[in-house]
Amino acid sequence: GGMEKIKQHTFTLAHYTYTVLSNLRYTNGAPVVRIYNDTDFSNPDVQGPIINFNVLDENGEVLGFSQVDSMASLHNIHVRTGCFCNMGACQMHLDISNEDIQRNLQAGHVCGDNIDLVDGRPTGSVRISFGYMSSFEDAQTFLNFIIATRLSKSDTEIPFQSVTKPTTEPVPDEHLSVNNADKLSPILQILDGELRNNPFETETTGSWQPLEPEAESIRAAVSETAVPTCRKGGKPITVTKIYLYPIKSCSAFEVTEWPVGNQGLLYDRNWMVVNQNGVCMTQKQEPRLCLVNPSIDRKQKIMVIQAEGMDPISVSLEDNAGKETVICESKVCSHRVKTYDCGEKIAGWFSAFLGRPCRLIRQSSDMKRKSHQKNTKGLSPATNISLSLVNEAQYLLINVASILQLKEHISARLKEPLEIEELIQRFRANIVIDAPESFEEEEWAEISIGALQFQVVGPCSRCQIICIDQQSGERNKEILQSLSSARGRKTNFGIYLMNQPLRSSFSDILSVGCQVLPVLKENTEIQPPTSSEEKCSG
């Protein structure tokens, strides 16, 4: 039918989606989205088939675009986020001043990162686009995703009363000019009388003031607990579990004590599996990676890899990056890393288990990644801190108290409650601690564990990997949705840590049972508890 038909088809889908989105409301009358647009979606000659928006909570606060992106990926929906290489439009619609841009940069925000909120204000937005292959079912899938993740069943009855089911009849001229013979796509027919009778305004770009306060939502119980300025006495904070992940995205290897090197726990994420194009494979693309169990035998200097139905296979811990080894370049979270291939035998093992061509590669010891984390007070510059094949930082720490509080809300939404150990495994931390207060770790600036000093470099924003059962590889979307609901505007859980490069050639030891001494963000040290229990010397 040519470009004119394509224009009509794609605009119809965008017009339908825009109309429904504009009318979605929480039970207190608050809009679910804020749409950024320069037209009223009435003319395809001036409005393309895209919708730019941010999702709001019941109080009118913006949910970060990274959280929306993570949730959309669980529903197999691809969205674009950020400022879309159009900073001028971003400034105009999000009301970002030049001074705000400078403050965002000082907060560590750069183009393409996941810092979606700074001081509660959005740094970008979400965009959906329709093409000639898009269908009405695609539009409904997206709308159902928004409804499923933001509204209860009773909420969804209101907005859909405002529109009829799309038909193949032409839309009135004031909306879109379509020939009667056009059967290319379902056409939305807006009933003007119904829209006029809608109790809510369709304009979503203005600021919204909340109505009468509703009952406390689920997130009230999982609040961002403030840590007292100084804790005296009480239960000591200790390390309860230590995990390393020798092969990125594969199963954890639990230890009771372990050497700490310049990149974090020794051998943590030194290897990764790549596809035939050399691209890193994670559980997002291949959940069965969690069924691969690597273990480190330091005495025999080998890593033993096991999986159900496969014979165990071993890989040397010795660095084989000699003159005859081909150094290849790979990417971890857009950062380039130097690696070398571990050989045909182990490549065949992984290919047989995963059912697709893949290879095992190891980070080259003379080509270490440098941290891109912003430098903060008290440690050497971040450029001097080396990373293995991790995504963000050397260590990830979680708190059992936080897990227990979250477990209550997840269990309430699931038919079968999750065990605490299963949740700990899903969050794939290196260090698990037992602190008295849930989420108090988010108020720490630094911690010491034994003789080791760590800098807190920020919260861990969770993705769909926590939806994967680490024992079976099965997905459950409810986990991330529960976390999002419980924690409000973010899916943060756990904190990232860095430690200074060791000044000696000897490794320090991190051990279960070591006492954890935090320093608050206000640089007020929490007093050690009065206890006969000795502090672990590491």
Side-chain angles (χ1 to χ4, degrees), residues 112-352:
D113 66 14
N114 291 325
I115 300 179
D116 47 19
L117 296 172
V118 175
D119 295 329
R121 298 181 59 191
T123 62
S125 57
V126 182
R127 191 178 83 185
I128 59 172
S129 308
F130 294 100
Y132 83 103
M133 292 295 290
S134 300
S135 66
F136 173 67
E137 287 72 22
D138 293 333
Q140 282 195 317
T141 296
F142 170 75
L143 291 169
N144 286 333
F145 151 67
I146 294 292
I147 291 168
T149 55
R150 301 310 310 165
L151 301 174
S152 65
K153 290 183 178 180
S154 60
D155 294 327
T156 61
E157 296 172 358
I158 296 173
F160 284 102
Q161 292 174 351
S162 302
V163 295
T164 62
K165 292 182 179 179
T167 69
T168 55
E169 296 300 318
V171 170
D173 291 339
E174 61 267 24
H175 294 299
L176 176 64
S177 176
V178 181
N179 189 292
N180 285 335
D182 178 26
K183 304 296 182 182
L184 199 148
S185 64
I187 305 300
L188 172 70
Q189 195 169 34
I190 304 296
L191 301 185
D192 293 335
E194 290 183 1
L195 283 180
R196 282 195 295 269
N197 294 331
N198 194 303
F200 306 114
E201 297 179 4
T202 57
E203 177 64 35
T204 60
T205 56
S207 61
W208 172 84
Q209 297 298 323
L211 303 177
E212 290 296 321
E214 299 290 321
E216 287 292 322
S217 65
I218 190 173
R219 70 176 55 91
V222 191
S223 60
E224 307 220 1
T225 308
V227 177
T229 303
C230 181
R231 182 188 296 115
K232 295 182 179 179
K235 179 183 176 182
I237 303 173
T238 57
V239 175
T240 60
K241 291 181 181 294
I242 300 172
Y243 298 101
L244 61 147
Y245 306 83
I247 306 175
K248 184 178 176 68
S249 228
C250 289
S251 180
F253 176 48
E254 185 175 1
V255 295
T256 55
E257 63 176 25
W258 200 254
V260 171
N262 287 340
Q263 291 183 302
L265 292 172
L266 190 63
Y267 303 120
D268 183 46
R269 294 175 175 91
N270 275 195
W271 292 264
M272 68 180 180
V273 182
V274 297
N275 63 17
Q276 56 189 346
N277 297 318
V279 178
C280 175
M281 295 170 60
T282 71
Q283 291 184 28
K284 292 180 182 179
Q285 304 87 28
E286 183 50 77
R288 280 170 53 81
L289 281 170
C290 72
L291 305 180
V292 176
N293 300 293
S295 58
I296 301 295
D297 188 332
R298 292 168 55 210
K299 291 183 178 180
Q300 297 190 42
K301 297 183 179 181
I302 59 172
M303 173 175 64
V304 179
I305 306 171
Q306 302 180 77
E308 187 175 352
M310 303 290 292
D311 293 331
I313 191 170
S314 62
V315 176
S316 174
L317 298 181
E318 299 291 335
D319 191 342
N320 296 325
K323 294 182 179 180
E324 298 181 357
T325 303
V326 177
I327 301 295
C328 53
E329 194 171 77
S330 304
K331 276 189 175 183
V332 175
C333 289
S334 77
H335 301 307
R336 297 186 181 278
V337 293
K338 298 292 184 179
T339 60
Y340 65 88
D341 194 280
C342 293
E344 296 296 331
K345 184 178 179 180
I346 189 65
W349 190 95
F350 271 98
S351 298

Side-chain angles (χ1 to χ4, degrees), residues 38 58 75 89 93 131 172-173 176 196 201 221 259 282 284 315 332 334 341 352 394 397 405 420 434 505 507 519:
D38 297 319
E58 304 96 315
H75 294 256
H93 286 287
D173 291 339
L176 176 64
R196 282 195 295 269
E201 297 179 4
T282 71
K284 292 180 182 179
V315 176
V332 175
S334 77
D341 194 280
Q394 294 171 333
L397 177 147
Q405 196 165 43
I420 184 70
D434 189 8
S505 58
S507 296
V519 175

Side-chain angles (χ1 to χ4, degrees), residues 32-46:
V32 175
V33 300
R34 178 178 297 146
I35 300 178
Y36 308 107
N37 56 298
D38 297 319
T39 79
D40 58 359
F41 275 78
S42 62
N43 187 349
D45 292 330
V46 295

Side-chain angles (χ1 to χ4, degrees), residues 27-77:
T27 53
N28 64 358
V32 175
V33 300
R34 178 178 297 146
I35 300 178
Y36 308 107
N37 56 298
D38 297 319
T39 79
D40 58 359
F41 275 78
S42 62
N43 187 349
D45 292 330
V46 295
Q47 174 64 54
I50 65 171
I51 303 174
N52 199 301
F53 64 96
N54 268 317
V55 178
L56 309 177
D57 66 12
E58 304 96 315
N59 299 314
E61 300 291 338
V62 174
L63 275 71
F65 58 74
S66 293
Q67 177 180 344
V68 178
D69 186 22
S70 296
M71 298 298 293
S73 66
L74 288 177
H75 294 256
N76 296 319
I77 298 172

Side-chain angles (χ1 to χ4, degrees), residues 480-505:
L480 187 59
Q481 293 176 0
S482 296
L483 176 61
S484 173
S485 175
R487 301 241 50 206
R489 301 168 63 195
K490 297 294 290 183
T491 52
N492 293 346
F493 198 91
I495 55 174
Y496 286 122
L497 305 176
M498 295 280 203
N499 75 314
Q500 287 204 41
L502 302 173
R503 295 182 176 86
S504 70
S505 58

